[in-house]
Amino acid sequence: VSGKEVQAIPLPLSTARESVAFSPDGSLLATTCLEGIRFFEPASGKQTRLIKSPRTFDKIAFSQDGKRLLAAGRLTGIRIFSVPSGAVEYTDASPTGADFFRVCFSPDGNLILGQRVTNVTVWDIRDPKKPVKILDYPHYYNADSYADAGFTEDGKRVAIPAWREGVKLIELNTGKESPSTGPIGRTTCA
């Protein structure tokens, strides 16, 4: 790794650049903008799509298969878009997206995680018309140590940074802390 800039993608002035995300295969770069979400081919810098929204998104994340994009915003709530079509697959227009600083999919794409200053919330979205909140875990975020929650590699637990307490592992099937009995594998927030 040289740290040398290999390419710059000129973005329109309206691009808010609050959040950017690469698709897992590296073929797309998504970025928030005042009009919604822009997609670019990183190799050429060419814009391939604009998903329009009347309000801006603050955080975005691709699913591990690259077929969906999770977006959350102060005024937009949470939405999941189909990357190939741009269609909305899931919308929560309530103000629950208001203060997420981290959003992500579980490894299998069936769950979404939203991390706020005060809690970590996980929803089961297998039926997008009836999402089920399966975890709402209180969490104190220390602004001096920016640390992100994430799913364990098997998707059965959530690792939550706990200021002065290390990392808490929360079992998603019970909502209770799990004793750490060895390596947990890498955590992922696709």
Side-chain angles (χ1 to χ4, degrees):
V1 178
S2 68
K4 181 180 173 186
E5 180 180 305
V6 294
Q7 181 178 0
I9 298 175
L11 300 174
L13 290 176
S14 65
T15 302
R17 297 177 206 109
E18 181 78 25
S19 185
V20 296
F22 276 101
S23 61
D25 67 1
S27 66
L28 285 176
L29 172 68
T31 181
T32 58
C33 67
L34 295 176
E35 295 90 3
I37 300 168
R38 293 181 189 274
F39 291 86
F40 297 89
E41 290 177 348
S44 67
K46 178 183 172 199
Q47 181 176 321
T48 60
R49 170 179 291 138
L50 168 64
I51 295 177
K52 291 191 174 191
S53 174
R55 304 199 189 251
T56 61
F57 295 100
D58 301 310
K59 300 297 171 198
I60 55 176
F62 279 95
S63 60
Q64 283 192 353
D65 63 8
K67 294 180 181 177
R68 296 184 294 166
L69 187 79
L70 172 61
R74 289 177 199 82
L75 301 172
T76 55
I78 297 170
R79 293 195 187 147
I80 297 175
F81 296 96
S82 163
V83 172
S85 70
V88 176
E89 292 184 357
Y90 170 75
T91 299
D92 173 11
S94 69
T96 58
D99 54 2
F100 287 130
F101 65 85
R102 174 77 161 158
V103 294
C104 65
F105 284 98
S106 63
D108 65 6
N110 291 327
L111 307 175
I112 57 173
L113 176 147
Q115 183 177 4
R116 296 185 178 124
V117 171
T118 57
N119 68 323
V120 172
T121 306
V122 177
W123 295 269
D124 184 325
I125 56 162
R126 280 177 268 215
D127 181 354
K129 294 185 186 339
K130 296 180 184 175
V132 177
K133 186 186 293 187
I134 61 171
L135 179 71
D136 197 7
Y137 193 83
H139 162 64
Y140 173 72
Y141 168 72
N142 175 17
D144 295 333
S145 62
Y146 188 83
D148 293 329
F151 292 96
T152 54
E153 207 167 17
D154 63 7
K156 295 180 180 178
R157 296 180 286 176
V158 173
I160 300 174
W163 190 51
R164 295 186 182 163
E165 299 174 40
V167 175
K168 291 185 178 186
L169 296 175
I170 310 301
E171 297 284 342
L172 289 174
N173 62 346
T174 66
K176 299 197 185 284
E177 285 186 44
S178 169
S180 181
T181 56
I184 61 168
R186 64 185 174 97
T187 59
T188 180
C189 226

